[in-house]
Amino acid sequence: VIELVKERRTKLARKASGRRDAFEQVIVSNIDVLVIVVAAAEPPLKTGIIDRYIIAGIDGKLEVCVVINKLDIADELEKEYAEYVIDLYNSLGYTAIGLSTVTQEGFEQLKAVLAGKTCVFAGHSGVGKSSMVNVLLGKEFGKTAALSKKYKRGAHTTTGSVLIPLDVASNSFIVDTPGVREFSNYEIDPENLKFHFVEFLPLQEHCQITNCTHLHEPGCAVIDALDDEKISVERYTSYMKLYEEAKEVERKKFD
Ligand SMILES: Nc1nc2c(ncn2[C@@H]2O[C@H](COP(=O)(O)OP(=O)(O)OP(=O)(O)O)[C@@H](O)[C@H]2O)c(=O)[nH]1
Ligand SMILES: [Mg+2]
Ligand SMILES: [Zn+2]
């Protein structure tokens, strides 16, 4: 049989809700880099969605890059927080970049990530994914639109995923995707979740209890590291939240 459908090497997938059950929706496959786009302001920066995407990236065998856009409109506090978040993800080994499509700061660093790769831009609506594409192409390619005045949320301007050749000679492509209201991972095994948090991995062998969940056990090296501020409160909070969510899904399954 001639293989007409290429085997999926990598993927970005999420949980979608069907009429009866949740199912795995593959947003895009056979890409190299997941570029998670958030804004320093408008909409306000929250790290939870970054961690959800990182987990999807790990499961889909994707390289991960975190972009914090709209630095130009961030006030002092927002700028400080953006810097903190950039340092956090860089320290975890993910490339994190501060950006503005207005001042065009950060684009040299972004271009270095994109070179020779197929990348997907993903994130909330209105964070500036299509605006980034337009800056990279040097022309208005994708439609962009202001946030809704009333809700200060993205207007869901991009309606379908598009593959955009950035530099055919160097084999660089971007997939621009529609912004999401929220992002949920498909079927996380709660006991498997901890392996998606890279900073937990070198610590787990120092936990007193084998199979430690790092949530309540005595002599837990991850909780100790959290107390010593060696693990960020944001990342640990994401872990707790996602663990609870994954447990809840499991409970419902056996109901
Ligand atoms: N001040 C500022 N505004 C920006 C920046 N990047 C994008 N915007 C604005 O943010 C709004 C939304 O930008 P889009 O590029 O449409 O956002 P998107 O992420 O593609 O949104 P969806 O297609 O709905 O997912 C537009 O009004 C842009 O002009 C930036 O760096 N600074
Ligand atoms: Mg868009
Ligand atoms: Zn532990």
Side-chain angles (χ1 to χ4, degrees):
V1 184
I2 304 165
E3 224 181 309
L4 290 172
V5 181
K6 258 198 191 166
E7 200 191 324
R8 262 181 211 147
R9 182 173 51 85
T10 65
K11 68 179 176 189
L12 173 63
R14 68 155 171 173
K15 182 165 85 177
S17 306
R19 241 182 267 167
R20 282 159 177 273
D21 283 310
F23 61 93
E24 183 186 42
Q25 178 190 21
V26 176
I27 299 159
V28 55
S29 58
N30 294 335
I31 42 167
D32 305 304
V33 188
L34 165 59
V35 180
I36 305 163
V37 186
V38 294
E42 294 184 27
L45 173 54
K46 287 179 191 151
T47 56
I49 191 163
I50 300 176
D51 296 325
R52 287 169 191 266
Y53 271 116
I54 286 177
I55 289 164
I58 292 170
D59 285 344
K61 298 190 173 64
L62 298 168
E63 208 182 293
V64 167
C65 171
V66 179
V67 165
I68 302 184
N69 189 30
K70 304 198 187 184
L71 281 184
D72 60 290
I73 52 164
D75 64 25
E76 278 312 309
L77 267 180
E78 288 164 338
K79 229 174 240 160
E80 227 171 80
Y81 188 56
E83 284 304 326
Y84 164 78
V85 173
I86 290 166
D87 288 347
L88 168 61
Y89 288 98
N90 273 321
S91 77
L92 298 176
Y94 305 111
T95 305
I97 304 170
L99 204 82
S100 165
T101 64
V102 174
T103 66
Q104 306 203 351
E105 65 190 289
F107 271 86
E108 283 315 308
Q109 233 188 317
L110 178 63
K111 280 180 189 164
V113 171
L114 305 178
K117 303 270 176 67
T118 301
C119 304
V120 58
F121 287 0
H124 278 142
S125 178
V127 293
K129 299 178 293 298
S130 300
S131 303
M132 286 163 56
V133 169
N134 292 346
V135 169
L136 289 162
L137 288 176
K139 62 179 179 198
E140 295 295 305
F141 177 90
K143 236 173 83 176
T144 66
L147 308 202
S148 78
K149 283 218 173 66
K150 198 163 163 200
Y151 301 105
K152 286 266 177 202
R153 278 204 202 134
H156 294 275
T157 311
T158 306
T159 50
S161 295
V162 258
L163 178 72
I164 302 147
L166 192 60
D167 182 350
V168 178
S170 77
N171 220 14
S172 307
F173 297 87
I174 300 172
V175 179
D176 188 14
T177 66
V180 295
R181 196 98 24 257
E182 53 175 25
F183 184 89
S184 298
N185 300 91
Y186 179 69
E187 291 211 335
I188 307 177
D189 172 358
E191 308 317 319
N192 198 18
L193 178 67
K194 60 187 175 189
F195 302 117
H196 294 77
F197 286 73
V198 283
E199 66 272 53
F200 295 2
L201 301 180
L203 297 171
Q204 60 190 10
E205 60 179 303
H206 303 292
C207 293
Q208 241 172 53
I209 292 163
T210 23
N211 296 328
C212 184
T213 63
H214 315 314
L215 288 169
H216 48 73
E217 292 87 346
C220 170
V222 171
I223 295 173
D224 286 348
L226 177 71
D227 291 341
D228 295 342
E229 296 178 23
K230 287 187 178 114
I231 280 181
S232 87
V233 174
E234 284 88 348
R235 290 276 293 172
Y236 190 78
T237 305
S238 281
Y239 175 66
M240 283 195 302
K241 242 180 160 168
L242 289 167
Y243 185 89
E244 262 322 302
E245 269 182 38
K247 273 282 184 201
E248 189 55 36
V249 171
E250 208 178 54
R251 265 180 232 122
K252 278 190 183 145
K253 251 191 181 165
F254 295 112
D255 262 357

